[in-house]
Amino acid sequence: MSSAYIIGSAGTRCGRFPDATVAGMAIRALDAALADGGVDTDRVEAIFFSNALSGLMTGQECVRGQVALRHSRYGGIPTVNVENACASGSTALHLACMAIDSGMYETVAVVGSEKMSHPDKRRPIQALAGAADVDLLADAPEDHSVFMDSYAERARGRIERDGWSPADFAQVVVKNRRHALHNAGAQFRNTMTVDEVLGSRMISAPLTLPMCSPIGDGAAAVVVTGTPNGTVAPIRVRASALSATGGSAPGSVVQRAAAIAREQSGISAEDVDVIEVHDATASAELEAYEHLGLANPGEGNRLIAEGQTQLGGALPVNTGGGLLSRGHPVGATGVLQIVELVAQLRRRAGERQVDLDPRLALAQNAGGFVEGDNAVAVVTVLERER
Protein backbone atom coordinates (compact mmCIF):
# COMPACT_ATOMS: atom_id res chain seq x y z
CA MET A 1 0.00 0.00 0.00
CA SER A 2 1.32 3.43 -0.90
CA SER A 3 2.06 6.10 1.69
CA ALA A 4 1.10 8.85 -0.77
CA TYR A 5 -1.86 11.16 -0.27
CA ILE A 6 -3.59 13.56 -2.66
CA ILE A 7 -4.29 16.81 -0.84
CA GLY A 8 -5.11 19.15 -3.73
CA SER A 9 -6.65 18.69 -7.17
CA ALA A 10 -8.02 20.79 -10.00
CA GLY A 11 -8.71 20.70 -13.72
CA THR A 12 -9.41 23.20 -16.48
CA ARG A 13 -12.32 23.08 -18.88
CA CYS A 14 -11.86 20.76 -21.84
CA GLY A 15 -12.63 21.86 -25.38
CA ARG A 16 -11.22 23.46 -28.49
CA PHE A 17 -9.56 26.71 -27.42
CA PRO A 18 -7.64 28.42 -30.25
CA ASP A 19 -5.73 30.72 -27.90
CA ALA A 20 -4.90 28.11 -25.26
CA THR A 21 -1.34 26.91 -24.75
CA VAL A 22 0.16 23.92 -22.98
CA ALA A 23 1.95 26.32 -20.64
CA GLY A 24 -1.06 28.48 -19.82
CA MET A 25 -3.35 25.54 -19.09
CA ALA A 26 -0.72 23.76 -17.00
CA ILE A 27 -0.06 26.81 -14.85
CA ARG A 28 -3.79 27.41 -14.26
CA ALA A 29 -4.28 23.79 -13.21
CA LEU A 30 -1.24 23.85 -10.90
CA ASP A 31 -2.28 27.13 -9.30
CA ALA A 32 -5.76 25.79 -8.60
CA ALA A 33 -4.50 22.46 -7.23
CA LEU A 34 -2.08 24.13 -4.84
CA ALA A 35 -4.80 26.51 -3.68
CA ASP A 36 -7.15 23.57 -3.18
CA GLY A 37 -4.59 21.81 -0.99
CA GLY A 38 -3.49 24.95 0.86
CA VAL A 39 0.07 24.35 -0.35
CA ASP A 40 2.68 27.05 -0.91
CA THR A 41 4.92 26.79 -3.94
CA ASP A 42 8.06 26.40 -1.83
CA ARG A 43 6.67 23.14 -0.42
CA VAL A 44 6.65 21.53 -3.90
CA GLU A 45 9.94 19.68 -4.31
CA ALA A 46 9.37 18.22 -7.79
CA ILE A 47 6.89 18.31 -10.65
CA PHE A 48 5.94 15.38 -12.85
CA PHE A 49 4.82 16.92 -16.14
CA SER A 50 2.61 14.84 -18.43
CA ASN A 51 2.30 15.64 -22.12
CA ALA A 52 2.03 13.20 -25.00
CA LEU A 53 1.75 15.07 -28.27
CA SER A 54 3.64 18.38 -28.23
CA GLY A 55 6.59 16.89 -30.05
CA LEU A 56 4.42 16.25 -33.09
CA MET A 57 1.96 19.12 -32.62
CA THR A 58 4.48 21.92 -32.15
CA GLY A 59 7.96 20.37 -32.44
CA GLN A 60 8.62 20.71 -28.69
CA GLU A 61 9.95 17.17 -28.36
CA CYS A 62 12.13 17.60 -25.25
CA VAL A 63 12.07 19.57 -21.97
CA ARG A 64 8.35 20.24 -22.39
CA GLY A 65 7.68 20.86 -18.72
CA GLN A 66 10.69 23.11 -18.23
CA VAL A 67 9.70 25.20 -21.25
CA ALA A 68 6.07 25.43 -20.15
CA LEU A 69 6.80 26.42 -16.53
CA ARG A 70 10.02 28.46 -16.81
CA HIS A 71 8.39 31.91 -16.54
CA SER A 72 5.94 30.92 -13.79
CA ARG A 73 6.43 30.55 -10.05
CA TYR A 74 7.19 26.86 -10.79
CA GLY A 75 10.31 27.66 -12.77
CA GLY A 76 13.37 26.08 -11.17
CA ILE A 77 11.49 23.24 -9.46
CA PRO A 78 12.97 19.89 -10.59
CA THR A 79 10.71 18.65 -13.38
CA VAL A 80 10.33 15.17 -14.85
CA ASN A 81 8.71 14.91 -18.29
CA VAL A 82 6.39 11.92 -18.71
CA GLU A 83 5.09 10.47 -21.99
CA ASN A 84 3.17 7.20 -22.07
CA ALA A 85 0.55 7.85 -24.78
CA CYS A 86 -2.98 8.23 -23.39
CA ALA A 87 -1.78 6.87 -20.03
CA SER A 88 0.78 9.65 -19.59
CA GLY A 89 -1.13 11.37 -16.78
CA SER A 90 -1.70 8.26 -14.69
CA THR A 91 1.92 7.23 -15.28
CA ALA A 92 3.05 10.62 -13.96
CA LEU A 93 0.98 10.03 -10.83
CA HIS A 94 2.49 6.54 -10.55
CA LEU A 95 5.99 8.04 -10.60
CA ALA A 96 5.00 10.72 -8.09
CA CYS A 97 3.76 8.05 -5.67
CA MET A 98 6.99 6.11 -6.12
CA ALA A 99 8.95 9.26 -5.29
CA ILE A 100 6.92 9.78 -2.12
CA ASP A 101 7.07 6.12 -1.08
CA SER A 102 10.83 6.03 -1.55
CA GLY A 103 11.29 8.96 0.81
CA MET A 104 13.03 11.02 -1.86
CA TYR A 105 10.43 13.80 -1.60
CA GLU A 106 7.80 14.85 0.89
CA THR A 107 5.51 16.79 -1.45
CA VAL A 108 5.33 16.86 -5.26
CA ALA A 109 2.91 17.99 -7.94
CA VAL A 110 1.58 16.17 -10.99
CA VAL A 111 0.29 18.13 -13.97
CA GLY A 112 -0.98 16.99 -17.34
CA SER A 113 -1.53 19.46 -20.15
CA GLU A 114 -2.34 18.88 -23.80
CA LYS A 115 -3.09 21.21 -26.72
CA MET A 116 -4.65 19.04 -29.43
CA SER A 117 -6.80 21.42 -31.46
CA HIS A 118 -5.01 22.81 -34.52
CA PRO A 119 -6.00 24.75 -37.67
CA ASP A 120 -4.84 21.72 -39.66
CA LYS A 121 -7.30 19.03 -38.57
CA ARG A 122 -4.95 16.31 -39.80
CA ARG A 123 -2.23 17.28 -37.33
CA PRO A 124 -3.71 15.70 -34.15
CA ILE A 125 -4.70 12.57 -36.07
CA GLN A 126 -1.15 12.20 -37.35
CA ALA A 127 0.21 12.85 -33.86
CA LEU A 128 -2.02 10.19 -32.31
CA ALA A 129 -0.77 7.68 -34.86
CA GLY A 130 2.59 7.89 -33.08
CA ALA A 131 1.09 5.92 -30.18
CA ALA A 132 1.21 2.79 -32.34
CA ASP A 133 4.09 1.05 -34.11
CA VAL A 134 4.85 3.56 -36.86
CA ASP A 135 6.68 0.92 -38.95
CA LEU A 136 3.26 -0.67 -39.52
CA LEU A 137 1.53 2.55 -40.60
CA ALA A 138 3.24 3.33 -43.88
CA ASP A 139 0.10 2.75 -45.96
CA ALA A 140 -2.36 4.45 -43.58
CA PRO A 141 -4.16 7.54 -45.00
CA GLU A 142 -2.98 10.79 -43.42
CA ASP A 143 -6.50 11.91 -42.52
CA HIS A 144 -7.66 8.62 -41.02
CA SER A 145 -7.44 7.72 -37.33
CA VAL A 146 -5.40 4.59 -36.81
CA PHE A 147 -6.55 4.61 -33.20
CA MET A 148 -10.23 4.55 -34.04
CA ASP A 149 -9.59 1.78 -36.58
CA SER A 150 -7.93 -0.29 -33.86
CA TYR A 151 -10.80 0.20 -31.46
CA ALA A 152 -13.32 -0.46 -34.25
CA GLU A 153 -11.64 -3.75 -35.08
CA ARG A 154 -12.00 -4.84 -31.47
CA ALA A 155 -15.62 -3.68 -31.43
CA ARG A 156 -16.42 -5.71 -34.54
CA GLY A 157 -14.86 -8.72 -32.87
CA ARG A 158 -17.17 -8.29 -29.88
CA ILE A 159 -20.20 -8.05 -32.13
CA GLU A 160 -19.24 -11.25 -33.94
CA ARG A 161 -18.01 -13.21 -30.93
CA ASP A 162 -20.20 -12.02 -28.04
CA GLY A 163 -23.35 -10.75 -29.73
CA TRP A 164 -22.82 -7.11 -28.77
CA SER A 165 -24.53 -4.50 -30.92
CA PRO A 166 -23.91 -0.88 -31.94
CA ALA A 167 -26.90 0.00 -29.75
CA ASP A 168 -24.91 -1.19 -26.72
CA PHE A 169 -22.17 1.30 -27.62
CA ALA A 170 -24.74 4.03 -28.15
CA GLN A 171 -26.10 3.49 -24.63
CA VAL A 172 -22.64 4.23 -23.23
CA VAL A 173 -22.67 7.57 -25.04
CA VAL A 174 -26.17 8.35 -23.77
CA LYS A 175 -25.07 7.64 -20.18
CA ASN A 176 -21.89 9.65 -20.34
CA ARG A 177 -23.56 12.61 -22.04
CA ARG A 178 -26.17 12.62 -19.27
CA HIS A 179 -23.43 12.60 -16.62
CA ALA A 180 -21.59 15.47 -18.34
CA LEU A 181 -24.65 17.72 -18.05
CA HIS A 182 -23.55 18.42 -14.48
CA ASN A 183 -19.84 18.89 -15.23
CA ALA A 184 -19.04 22.50 -16.08
CA GLY A 185 -15.63 21.45 -17.36
CA ALA A 186 -16.91 18.94 -19.91
CA GLN A 187 -16.42 19.43 -23.63
CA PHE A 188 -19.89 18.10 -24.57
CA ARG A 189 -22.84 18.91 -22.30
CA ASN A 190 -25.79 18.04 -24.52
CA THR A 191 -27.81 14.86 -24.20
CA MET A 192 -28.24 12.38 -27.05
CA THR A 193 -30.60 9.51 -27.74
CA VAL A 194 -29.58 6.06 -28.90
CA ASP A 195 -31.04 6.79 -32.34
CA GLU A 196 -29.12 10.06 -32.60
CA VAL A 197 -25.86 8.32 -31.74
CA LEU A 198 -26.46 5.51 -34.21
CA GLY A 199 -27.47 7.97 -36.93
CA SER A 200 -24.36 10.11 -36.60
CA ARG A 201 -21.46 10.14 -39.05
CA MET A 202 -19.58 6.87 -39.22
CA ILE A 203 -15.90 7.15 -38.25
CA SER A 204 -14.82 3.52 -38.46
CA ALA A 205 -17.61 0.95 -38.49
CA PRO A 206 -19.33 0.29 -36.15
CA LEU A 207 -18.16 3.44 -34.32
CA THR A 208 -20.01 6.67 -35.08
CA LEU A 209 -18.64 10.10 -34.20
CA PRO A 210 -20.20 10.37 -30.70
CA MET A 211 -18.81 6.91 -29.86
CA CYS A 212 -15.26 8.27 -30.27
CA SER A 213 -13.51 10.57 -27.79
CA PRO A 214 -13.05 14.08 -29.22
CA ILE A 215 -10.00 16.16 -30.08
CA GLY A 216 -9.60 18.85 -27.44
CA ASP A 217 -7.42 20.86 -25.10
CA GLY A 218 -7.20 20.77 -21.31
CA ALA A 219 -5.09 20.34 -18.19
CA ALA A 220 -5.33 18.95 -14.67
CA ALA A 221 -3.10 18.79 -11.61
CA VAL A 222 -2.85 17.11 -8.22
CA VAL A 223 -0.62 17.68 -5.20
CA VAL A 224 0.79 14.48 -3.67
CA THR A 225 2.39 14.23 -0.25
CA GLY A 226 3.49 11.72 2.33
CA THR A 227 2.55 14.07 5.19
CA PRO A 228 -1.06 15.28 4.90
CA ASN A 229 -0.69 17.12 8.24
CA GLY A 230 -4.33 17.39 9.19
CA THR A 231 -5.63 18.07 5.67
CA VAL A 232 -9.40 17.75 5.56
CA ALA A 233 -10.33 14.42 3.91
CA PRO A 234 -6.89 13.42 2.59
CA ILE A 235 -7.20 10.92 -0.22
CA ARG A 236 -4.82 8.00 0.11
CA VAL A 237 -3.44 6.27 -2.96
CA ARG A 238 -4.10 2.66 -1.97
CA ALA A 239 -2.65 1.30 -5.22
CA SER A 240 -0.96 2.47 -8.39
CA ALA A 241 -0.34 -0.39 -10.80
CA LEU A 242 1.45 -0.04 -14.14
CA SER A 243 1.53 -2.77 -16.79
CA ALA A 244 2.77 -3.08 -20.36
CA THR A 245 2.00 -5.17 -23.40
CA GLY A 246 4.10 -8.16 -24.39
CA GLY A 247 5.64 -10.91 -22.33
CA SER A 248 4.04 -14.20 -21.34
CA ALA A 249 1.70 -13.08 -18.55
CA PRO A 250 -1.94 -14.00 -19.22
CA GLY A 251 -4.74 -11.53 -19.84
CA SER A 252 -4.95 -8.08 -21.34
CA VAL A 253 -2.80 -5.17 -20.24
CA VAL A 254 -5.71 -3.77 -18.22
CA GLN A 255 -6.38 -7.13 -16.58
CA ARG A 256 -2.75 -7.37 -15.49
CA ALA A 257 -2.79 -3.85 -14.05
CA ALA A 258 -6.04 -4.61 -12.22
CA ALA A 259 -4.53 -7.77 -10.74
CA ILE A 260 -1.49 -5.84 -9.46
CA ALA A 261 -3.76 -3.16 -7.98
CA ARG A 262 -5.76 -5.83 -6.14
CA GLU A 263 -2.55 -7.27 -4.73
CA GLN A 264 -1.32 -3.85 -3.60
CA SER A 265 -4.57 -2.67 -2.05
CA GLY A 266 -6.55 -5.77 -1.17
CA ILE A 267 -9.43 -4.14 -3.07
CA SER A 268 -11.12 -5.23 -6.29
CA ALA A 269 -13.15 -3.10 -8.65
CA GLU A 270 -16.37 -4.57 -7.25
CA ASP A 271 -15.52 -3.17 -3.81
CA VAL A 272 -15.31 0.50 -4.81
CA ASP A 273 -18.02 3.15 -4.88
CA VAL A 274 -17.18 4.99 -8.11
CA ILE A 275 -14.99 4.26 -11.13
CA GLU A 276 -13.35 6.14 -14.00
CA VAL A 277 -12.51 4.05 -17.07
CA HIS A 278 -10.68 4.93 -20.26
CA ASP A 279 -13.58 5.26 -22.70
CA ALA A 280 -11.55 6.37 -25.70
CA THR A 281 -14.47 4.76 -27.51
CA ALA A 282 -17.84 3.60 -26.21
CA SER A 283 -16.90 0.00 -26.90
CA ALA A 284 -13.73 0.41 -24.82
CA GLU A 285 -15.83 1.26 -21.77
CA LEU A 286 -17.74 -2.02 -22.08
CA GLU A 287 -14.47 -3.92 -22.46
CA ALA A 288 -13.12 -2.19 -19.35
CA TYR A 289 -16.03 -3.53 -17.31
CA GLU A 290 -14.87 -7.04 -18.10
CA HIS A 291 -11.14 -6.45 -17.78
CA LEU A 292 -11.64 -4.93 -14.31
CA GLY A 293 -13.72 -7.92 -13.23
CA LEU A 294 -17.08 -6.13 -13.04
CA ALA A 295 -18.63 -8.48 -15.60
CA ASN A 296 -17.94 -11.95 -16.91
CA PRO A 297 -16.25 -12.25 -20.32
CA GLY A 298 -18.68 -11.29 -23.07
CA GLU A 299 -21.15 -9.68 -20.64
CA GLY A 300 -19.90 -6.11 -20.38
CA ASN A 301 -22.90 -4.93 -22.36
CA ARG A 302 -25.22 -6.31 -19.69
CA LEU A 303 -24.09 -3.69 -17.16
CA ILE A 304 -24.96 -0.80 -19.46
CA ALA A 305 -28.29 -2.38 -20.45
CA GLU A 306 -29.26 -2.81 -16.79
CA GLY A 307 -28.24 0.74 -15.85
CA GLN A 308 -25.76 -0.43 -13.23
CA THR A 309 -23.03 2.01 -14.27
CA GLN A 310 -25.11 5.18 -14.43
CA LEU A 311 -25.53 7.67 -11.61
CA GLY A 312 -27.97 6.06 -9.19
CA GLY A 313 -26.89 2.60 -10.29
CA ALA A 314 -25.00 0.03 -8.24
CA LEU A 315 -21.58 1.13 -9.56
CA PRO A 316 -21.42 4.55 -11.26
CA VAL A 317 -18.79 4.80 -13.99
CA ASN A 318 -17.45 8.01 -15.58
CA THR A 319 -19.56 10.37 -13.50
CA GLY A 320 -17.96 13.44 -15.11
CA GLY A 321 -18.83 12.28 -18.61
CA GLY A 322 -15.74 10.22 -19.35
CA LEU A 323 -13.44 10.82 -22.28
CA LEU A 324 -16.42 10.70 -24.63
CA SER A 325 -18.06 13.77 -23.09
CA ARG A 326 -15.57 15.45 -20.76
CA GLY A 327 -12.95 15.25 -23.50
CA HIS A 328 -9.64 13.49 -24.05
CA PRO A 329 -6.70 15.93 -23.98
CA VAL A 330 -4.31 13.01 -24.02
CA GLY A 331 -1.59 14.03 -21.56
CA ALA A 332 -4.15 15.38 -19.09
CA THR A 333 -6.69 12.55 -19.24
CA GLY A 334 -5.23 10.32 -16.53
CA VAL A 335 -5.00 13.28 -14.14
CA LEU A 336 -8.52 14.45 -15.01
CA GLN A 337 -9.80 11.01 -14.00
CA ILE A 338 -8.17 11.40 -10.59
CA VAL A 339 -9.55 14.93 -10.18
CA GLU A 340 -13.07 13.58 -10.78
CA LEU A 341 -12.63 10.75 -8.28
CA VAL A 342 -11.21 13.08 -5.63
CA ALA A 343 -14.26 15.32 -6.09
CA GLN A 344 -16.52 12.30 -5.58
CA LEU A 345 -14.65 11.02 -2.52
CA ARG A 346 -14.75 14.48 -0.94
CA ARG A 347 -18.47 14.76 -1.72
CA ARG A 348 -18.07 17.94 -3.74
CA ALA A 349 -19.27 16.70 -7.15
CA GLY A 350 -22.56 18.59 -6.94
CA GLU A 351 -25.42 17.20 -8.99
CA ARG A 352 -23.29 14.35 -10.28
CA GLN A 353 -22.37 13.19 -6.76
CA VAL A 354 -22.79 9.43 -6.31
CA ASP A 355 -25.62 8.41 -4.02
CA LEU A 356 -23.54 6.51 -1.50
CA ASP A 357 -21.13 8.02 1.00
CA PRO A 358 -18.11 7.10 -1.12
CA ARG A 359 -14.91 5.85 0.48
CA LEU A 360 -13.18 3.93 -2.34
CA ALA A 361 -12.61 4.81 -5.99
CA LEU A 362 -10.76 3.29 -8.94
CA ALA A 363 -9.36 4.73 -12.16
CA GLN A 364 -8.35 2.72 -15.25
CA ASN A 365 -6.27 4.56 -17.84
CA ALA A 366 -4.84 2.92 -20.97
CA GLY A 367 -2.60 4.14 -23.77
CA GLY A 368 -1.24 3.24 -27.16
CA PHE A 369 -1.76 0.13 -29.28
CA VAL A 370 0.67 -2.70 -29.89
CA GLU A 371 -0.36 -5.97 -31.55
CA GLY A 372 -4.06 -5.70 -30.81
CA ASP A 373 -3.84 -4.57 -27.19
CA ASN A 374 -3.17 -1.32 -25.39
CA ALA A 375 0.54 -0.71 -24.99
CA VAL A 376 0.23 0.40 -21.37
CA ALA A 377 -2.37 0.51 -18.61
CA VAL A 378 -2.50 2.04 -15.14
CA VAL A 379 -5.04 1.17 -12.45
CA THR A 380 -5.20 3.49 -9.44
CA VAL A 381 -7.18 2.87 -6.24
CA LEU A 382 -8.03 5.80 -3.98
CA GLU A 383 -9.40 5.83 -0.44
CA ARG A 384 -10.91 8.62 1.64
CA GLU A 385 -9.68 7.94 5.12
CA ARG A 386 -12.19 8.48 7.89
Side-chain angles (χ1 to χ4, degrees), residues 20 47 74 90 109 133 137 152 187 194 216 218 226 231 281 305 353 361 364 371:
I47 295 173
Y74 308 104
S90 56
D133 185 346
L137 305 178
Q187 188 161 343
V194 168
T231 301
T281 64
Q353 181 66 51
Q364 172 260 324
E371 297 181 351

Side-chain angles (χ1 to χ4, degrees), residues 175-176 179 273-279 285 288-289 292 294 303 308-311 315-322 354:
K175 170 185 71 75
N176 290 352
H179 289 177
D273 302 304
V274 59
I275 289 179
E276 286 279 300
V277 303
H278 190 85
D279 58 323
E285 176 164 329
Y289 297 166
L292 291 173
L294 301 174
L303 296 188
Q308 294 192 42
T309 56
Q310 66 185 14
L311 278 169
L315 188 56
V317 174
N318 288 342
T319 53
V354 297

Side-chain angles (χ1 to χ4, degrees), residues 155 158-159 163-176 178 192-199 202 205-208 210-211 282-283 286 289 300-306 324:
R158 289 310 193 105
I159 290 172
W164 292 7
S165 73
D168 294 326
F169 309 148
Q171 287 184 14
V172 175
V173 179
V174 171
K175 170 185 71 75
N176 290 352
R178 189 184 305 122
M192 296 190 76
T193 66
V194 168
D195 288 342
E196 287 172 336
V197 176
L198 293 175
M202 189 66 68
L207 302 177
T208 63
M211 297 179 190
S283 55
L286 300 185
Y289 297 166
N301 60 337
R302 177 179 57 81
L303 296 188
I304 195 71
E306 295 174 354
L324 292 172

Side-chain angles (χ1 to χ4, degrees), residues 255-301:
Q255 286 172 316
R256 295 199 290 273
I260 298 168
R262 283 194 298 271
E263 183 178 346
Q264 290 179 356
S265 66
I267 293 167
S268 68
E270 291 179 317
D271 299 324
V272 307
D273 302 304
V274 59
I275 289 179
E276 286 279 300
V277 303
H278 190 85
D279 58 323
T281 64
S283 55
E285 176 164 329
L286 300 185
E287 286 190 321
Y289 297 166
E290 297 179 9
H291 293 172
L292 291 173
L294 301 174
N296 292 326
E299 297 183 1
N301 60 337

